[in-house]
Amino acid sequence: MMIENLLLLWLAALPLMGSPGPATISLAASGSAFGIRPSLGYLGGIVTGTIAVLLLVATGIATALLAHPIAGQVLTAIAALYILYLVWKIATAPIRPANRIAHQPEPKAPDFRGGVMLAIANPKAFAAIGAVYAAHAIAPHSLWLDNALKIAALALVIVLVNSLWLVFGAGFARLLSDPRFGRLINILFAALLIASLAMALLSLS
């Protein structure tokens, strides 16, 4: 029964938490513009921040926090400002040549702190994790075991989906040696980031 409940949790969590949103699109954009290795710090920040959101949801702190109108508005404003900064950073990122000289420095990708900040202020993370966490039980006979298993299961989903989005974005990197096409891809991801922000804001209204 517990395994069946765990599978149901994953089936619900993967599409909901892995769907396009500010964090996942920004990871794909970073992978495309800067590559996987320079973006690993940002990935670590997104994962760490999203797991922090998971813990806030699990302990009930998120509900109390988001119930306060000013706190919710502050989080949304922080996320919006950082996403707009990422839009500019990605749209103007230097196009990487196909054969980079070994001693040339890698372009500077978003960092760990930025990833944590975006993840914690990301309204989609609270909504998606909260919906999955509240709707499913793995071990309904034991509250502490149920919470522990859900946290572990959803933390695994967080690592998986965010890593896949980074790899997906990096798949475009080999196309970016052409300056015009590379710039077009960067601008496309920047536009998708703006769209994901707009959708997240509309879902809160």
Side-chain angles (χ1 to χ4, degrees), residues 27 30 34 38-46 82 85-86 89 108-118:
L27 276 167
S30 183
F34 304 104
S39 300
L40 288 177
Y42 184 61
L43 171 64
I46 290 287
Y82 188 71
Y85 164 73
L86 284 180
K89 189 175 180 69
K108 192 171 178 61
D111 60 12
F112 178 87
R113 288 175 298 177
V116 171
M117 181 174 68
L118 175 59

Side-chain angles (χ1 to χ4, degrees), residues 100-124:
R100 174 175 291 277
I101 299 173
H103 64 269
Q104 280 186 327
E106 291 280 358
K108 192 171 178 61
D111 60 12
F112 178 87
R113 288 175 298 177
V116 171
M117 181 174 68
L118 175 59
I120 291 178
N122 179 12
K124 177 182 179 288

Side-chain angles (χ1 to χ4, degrees), residues 155-172:
L156 181 61
V157 172
I158 289 167
V159 173
L160 177 63
V161 298
N162 287 294
S163 299
L164 288 176
W165 273 98
L166 176 60
V167 171
F168 167 74
F172 288 93

Side-chain angles (χ1 to χ4, degrees), residues 126-152:
F126 283 94
I129 293 173
V132 174
Y133 199 92
H136 292 269
I138 299 176
H141 58 279
S142 173
L143 182 60
W144 73 267
L145 179 60
D146 184 56
N147 285 326
L149 289 174
K150 285 196 290 188
I151 289 170

